[in-house]
Amino acid sequence: MKTLDQIAAELQGYDPQALSASAVNAFLSELVAPVTERENVSVFDALGRVLAEDIVSPISVPPHDNSAMDGYAFDGAQLRAGQPLTLRMLEGTAFAGKAWTGTVAPGACVKIMTGAIMPAGLDTVVPQELTLAADGGITVPAGALQRGDNRRLLGEDLMAGRPALRAGTRIGPAALGLIASLGLATVPVLRRVRVAYFSTGDEILSLGEAPREGAVYDSNRYTVYGLLTRLGLEVIDLGVVRDDPATLEAAFRQAARQADAIITSGGVSVGEADHTKAMMKKLGDVAFWRIAMRPGRPMAVGRIQASTGDGRFAAGPPQGESVPMGGSEPRAAGSVGALMFGLPGNPVAVMVTFLAFVRPALLKLMGVADVAAHTPPLLKARCLEPLRKKPGRTEYQRGTVSTAADGTLQVRTTGNQGSGVLSSMVEGNGLIVLHHAQGNVAVGDAVDVMVFDGVI
Ligand code: AMP
Ligand code: MG
């Protein structure tokens, strides 16, 4: 496994004091290795999990050529361009799940329902509504059909012996149904990733504590809880941790013992006089960054060791509020420590850095093969307001993206863009991404937007 210094040395133009957003992602994708332990789960439990190996189709879907419409099946070789075709109707009906076993000679057809197996030798279905009634049969009007129309081919969805789903696929509703369509009752998936999180700062109040001057209620733990849970991760809530070396050490040690990754908020900015940064440094291999972005400039990233220097596990959970939410079992012995993301304290900065950096890193940790495909694409929208923007940093302004009357996208900001204005994340449905080199935006200019509604 590479150390942070090794990763940094391989990265073009790495400057921890002025890191670009894209350099952060490049760094993280080197730092993070996917989990490898696997388990078999039932199809229902596979939702949101990541496939551990390719699934090769044991059967073909559909298993037979079958009808895509309610209508009449016949041999399409009889169709002649520009001519109607009149067919005699045979007795009986081919039903889905109940095959019609007779023989259909040229000049004849048989009634067939959607999903019914195509009778032997037939390849075309004329939908009921296209036909004209004829004496003892039907007429297919001239030009209504081509040979093979309205027939679904054996294996056109999934062919026996071919890969149906690739390892590293994150199983969504469609994949869940696809697995079931193969008749598989269990699915090999990678184990769930566990993430521990806590908030730091002596001014941070836990719910239930009385308000006091200069203190604010903890919001970050709740947004982080929501972000992680939506990603399908196991979470361990370690509460608010006081700015005290022993308490911080115990919290980091416990988190590293129990989790694959640790997310903290607060205490990583430059002017911080607290112990958080010192403790991160002491307990692991950690880099402190200033990212050329807004919001979310300061961030710490690295690995925290689970055990003390002499190889023993450090003692006990931290004091203070702790709300265990499962995951009390230690992770596998001999672990190399947990990934750590030390996010800034400001609530909007937490969410933006999570979306921009932590989410892709966690997807990789989960074993997702194509992380980019799970990242919301940048779309172009017409900006309805002028925006002030300094070149030299990436800005993520909160906006409301909508479809204009002409069908194109438009966006307006949610107003106050302060990094503590969490209501902007509630009101907006996306981020206006103003790139590193970009300057001011005039009304009507096209800007990149990333819709986060439904993603986080
Ligand atoms: P820091 O990064 O620790 O300097 O914090 C920056 C700002 O974010 C300060 O105004 C903090 O009070 C605020 N903050 C830090 N942690 C939290 C939290 N868990 N919930 C709400 N606000 C926070
Ligand atoms: Mg602080």
Side-chain angles (χ1 to χ4, degrees):
M1 190 188 306
K2 287 181 195 164
T3 64
L4 299 193
D5 283 346
Q6 285 167 332
I7 298 173
E10 288 168 14
L11 216 70
Q12 286 286 319
Y14 173 80
D15 176 2
Q17 292 305 302
L19 218 48
S20 67
S22 58
V24 170
N25 281 319
F27 192 105
L28 290 177
S29 89
E30 283 297 315
L31 179 69
V32 178
V35 295
T36 52
E37 300 94 329
R38 50 171 70 191
E39 58 182 325
N40 287 317
V41 297
S42 75
V43 176
F44 281 127
D45 290 335
L47 183 64
R49 303 292 295 270
V50 179
L51 204 56
E53 59 190 60
D54 291 356
I55 290 187
V56 175
S57 295
I59 57 172
S60 292
V61 180
H64 311 275
D65 288 4
N66 70 92
S67 177
M69 301 289 273
D70 292 343
Y72 305 91
F74 63 101
D75 179 357
Q78 301 165 90
L79 288 165
R80 294 282 173 272
Q83 289 177 26
L85 174 66
T86 296
L87 299 164
R88 198 160 38 79
M89 206 187 324
L90 302 182
E91 281 285 306
T93 301
F95 289 105
K98 197 157 152 255
W100 188 88
T101 50
T103 312
V104 184
C109 68
V110 66
K111 193 163 188 193
I112 193 164
M113 297 292 138
T114 305
I117 296 177
M118 293 294 286
L122 306 191
D123 58 9
T124 307
V125 173
V126 58
Q128 170 103 45
E129 59 272 22
L130 283 189
T131 58
L132 305 170
D135 191 23
I138 52 142
T139 295
V140 181
L145 282 188
Q146 289 189 353
R147 185 174 187 184
D149 278 358
N150 306 308
R151 170 199 48 170
R152 302 165 176 156
L153 290 171
L154 175 150
E156 73 174 22
D157 186 1
L158 303 166
M159 191 61 88
R162 300 240 185 94
L165 286 172
R166 293 290 186 181
T169 299
R170 191 163 176 232
I171 301 170
L176 210 60
L178 191 143
I179 291 165
S181 79
L182 294 172
L184 301 173
T186 59
V187 192
V189 295
L190 295 171
R191 75 165 170 82
R192 283 177 79 179
V193 162
R194 269 190 199 167
V195 183
Y197 57 90
F198 57 87
S199 297
T200 68
D202 282 343
E203 82 282 24
I204 306 303
L205 293 173
S206 284
L207 295 183
E209 284 189 73
R212 63 169 193 270
E213 194 173 297
V216 293
Y217 282 107
D218 183 6
S219 63
N220 291 342
R221 252 167 75 221
Y222 298 88
T223 48
V224 167
Y225 158 80
L227 291 162
L228 295 173
T229 304
R230 284 284 182 93
L231 260 187
L233 301 166
E234 268 181 37
V235 297
I236 302 171
D237 184 338
L238 295 177
V240 176
V241 176
R242 269 187 299 115
D243 187 19
D244 156 76
T247 317
L248 278 166
E249 174 162 3
F252 275 116
R253 294 279 198 211
Q254 183 187 351
R257 264 198 322 275
Q258 296 182 347
D260 301 293
I262 306 168
I263 296 179
T264 66
S265 68
V268 294
S269 28
V270 178
E272 283 286 331
D274 62 22
H275 301 283
T276 308
K277 286 209 285 191
M279 196 49 69
M280 290 175 177
K281 213 176 240 160
K282 178 182 158 193
L283 302 182
D285 184 16
V286 177
F288 295 91
W289 289 337
R290 277 208 225 172
I291 307 169
M293 69 185 287
R294 187 157 133 165
R297 191 157 80 127
M299 190 171 157
V301 163
R303 287 195 197 93
I304 298 283
Q305 301 308 316
S307 54
T308 55
D310 59 10
R312 286 181 304 114
F313 283 138
Q319 289 106 44
E321 189 200 22
S322 172
V323 188
M325 305 206 53
S328 53
E329 295 298 309
R331 284 185 311 127
S335 69
V336 290
L339 282 169
M340 192 212 64
F341 302 95
L343 305 185
N346 278 306
V348 179
V350 166
M351 297 195 77
V352 168
T353 50
F354 186 94
L355 243 181
F357 311 128
V358 182
R359 187 177 179 277
L362 291 177
L363 285 166
K364 177 149 191 226
L365 181 62
M366 291 162 70
V368 171
D370 189 356
V371 171
H374 290 272
T375 304
L378 290 180
L379 307 172
K380 288 272 181 240
R382 195 159 25 84
C383 196
L384 299 175
E385 295 160 50
L387 304 177
R388 288 174 48 134
K389 159 71 169 59
K390 270 201 235 157
R393 67 185 182 205
T394 306
E395 282 191 22
Y396 301 85
Q397 300 207 5
R398 277 73 67 205
T400 304
V401 182
S402 60
T403 306
D406 65 0
T408 60
L409 291 180
Q410 58 186 16
V411 64
R412 64 171 66 254
T413 72
T414 55
N416 188 339
Q417 295 292 314
S419 60
V421 181
L422 190 54
S423 52
S424 68
M425 285 298 293
V426 177
E427 194 187 317
N429 62 359
L431 296 173
I432 304 171
V433 182
L434 302 171
H435 298 283
H436 195 86
Q438 206 170 340
N440 291 337
V441 172
V443 175
D445 281 358
V447 288
D448 277 340
V449 293
M450 178 191 278
V451 174
F452 58 66
D453 201 23
V455 175
I456 59 172

